[in-house]
Amino acid sequence: MKLGFLTTCLPESDLTDIARWAAGQGFEALEVAGWPSPDDRNHIRVDRFDDAERDRVGRIFAETGLTLSSIAYYENNLHPEQGAQVNAHVRRCVDAAAALGCPTVGTFVGRDPGLPVADNLKRAADVFGPLVEYAARHGVQIVIENCVMKSWHPDGYPGNLAYSPELWEWMYTLGLKLNYDPSHLVALGIDPVAALRPHLANVAHVQAKDTEFLPGKLDRYGFHGPISGEKGWYRFRVPGLGRVDWTRVIDVLYEGGYDGVVSVEHEDPVWSGSTARVQTGLGIAYRTLRHLMPG
């Protein structure tokens, strides 16, 4: 296994600076943001990917010795108005990944909030069938993070139809693979280790994020959270500062033969606000995880 992180936590930094810092800290991989402009999460310029951009990114990884584990573009592929543009950008991410020798592109299934779940699943089959086929022709796998994305639904219901093991089984039938993130399972009351074991063969990428329960909030709001604009009953933290049992998670991954990248997804509000604070948070995650991982 290799330890890396997702570059979205450092939107104001250049990929060269991120990679040099990561290598100097002992990280071995990067999951690189590939959103289109004007979004600042575009450390790889997928929307204008050409030979010069391929050479620039390739040179950064060659000079630092890091592995490019995935190109990240986590958006709603079933959005009722913008879905076609999202699907087209996923294809551009696949093109860039293939040119760079990157094995995966990470995204969300998403959801049309105006349709029942059953209708969304039918739409997803129509959308992802061609995308998965396109990726396979280019030697790339599309991996889906199991994030709930409640913010995509007007009533706070799951906005990404890949949040539970039941839905993972469904998405495998479309040829999609799992980008496993235990933090979201904790927030759903699902044991992340018990959920992981039956799905190890379909885990193609791993994200590492932790979940902290806020005192007294769950008893007031329940699992669905508040109906007002107040913050919910949990918040995300860097690994080591929440409830995920990382010793068990890494051990189960190792026992199951996973030899890919574990990518820290830094969304910790405590260790945010400046580059230095984000880097400190990444350092906490590194010290939590590195000694648990073989290799």
Side-chain angles (χ1 to χ4, degrees):
M1 286 187 230
K2 294 182 178 180
L3 181 59
F5 63 87
L6 173 58
T7 64
T8 52
C9 59
L10 294 166
E12 297 178 357
S13 298
D14 181 83
L15 181 59
T16 299
D17 294 334
I18 294 173
R20 288 174 177 169
W21 180 85
Q25 299 300 308
F27 286 100
E28 300 147 303
L30 289 176
E31 178 186 2
V32 181
W35 273 257
S37 300
D39 198 302
D40 56 10
R41 295 171 294 176
N42 55 8
H43 292 118
I44 291 178
R45 296 306 307 270
V46 173
D47 51 352
R48 57 186 193 196
F49 193 83
D50 55 15
D51 290 347
E53 179 69 354
R54 179 201 62 201
D55 293 345
R56 180 188 76 92
V57 175
R59 186 165 53 250
I60 291 170
F61 280 88
E63 290 175 353
T64 58
L66 297 173
T67 294
L68 173 56
S69 69
S70 192
I71 295 179
Y73 175 57
Y74 294 98
E75 290 292 348
N76 188 350
N77 279 277
L78 301 184
H79 192 283
E81 287 87 34
Q82 301 167 12
Q85 295 97 304
V86 174
N87 306 157
H89 194 73
V90 170
R91 288 175 182 259
R92 289 192 286 270
C93 289
V94 168
D95 292 339
L100 291 164
C102 176
T104 68
V105 167
T107 190
F108 289 139
V109 170
R111 176 179 186 169
D112 181 342
L115 295 177
V117 171
D119 291 345
N120 271 280
L121 299 184
K122 292 177 183 177
R123 281 199 63 223
D126 294 335
V127 167
F128 279 100
L131 286 177
V132 169
E133 181 181 356
Y134 184 81
R137 289 203 307 268
H138 288 75
V140 175
Q141 287 187 319
I142 296 177
V143 296
I144 303 294
E145 183 191 351
N146 54 288
C147 181
V148 182
M149 292 306 297
K150 295 188 292 184
S151 62
W152 283 355
H153 194 284
D155 292 322
Y157 298 133
N160 174 37
L161 295 178
Y163 59 87
S164 69
E166 177 187 18
L167 287 162
W168 303 349
E169 294 169 359
W170 158 77
M171 73 184 193
Y172 302 151
T173 67
L174 306 182
L176 297 165
K177 296 295 183 180
L178 178 62
N179 186 6
Y180 168 78
D181 183 337
S183 66
H184 302 296
L185 297 168
V186 172
L188 289 171
I190 297 173
D191 179 344
V193 174
L196 173 61
R197 288 187 187 277
H199 296 275
L200 285 162
N202 286 292
V203 174
H205 198 262
V206 173
Q207 286 184 332
K209 188 164 70 261
D210 221 325
T211 306
E212 177 188 14
F213 290 1
L214 301 175
K217 298 293 186 178
L218 182 58
D219 291 334
R220 172 170 171 77
Y221 299 128
F223 275 98
H224 292 296
I227 61 172
S228 65
E230 295 181 60
K231 293 183 178 180
W233 54 271
Y234 64 89
R235 62 180 180 177
F236 294 124
R237 305 299 308 273
V238 293
L241 299 179
R243 290 179 170 248
V244 176
D245 187 339
W246 292 104
T247 300
R248 293 180 66 216
V249 168
I250 298 298
D251 184 60
V252 169
L253 286 168
Y254 178 71
E255 182 182 10
Y258 181 75
D259 60 358
V261 170
V262 176
S263 178
V264 176
E265 185 183 18
H266 185 322
E267 294 183 348
D268 190 320
V270 177
W271 295 107
S272 296
S274 70
T275 297
R277 291 184 69 83
V278 169
Q279 289 175 338
T280 299
L282 289 170
I284 294 170
Y286 181 90
R287 291 188 294 274
T288 298
L289 297 174
R290 180 66 270 176
H291 75 282
L292 300 175
M293 297 172 59

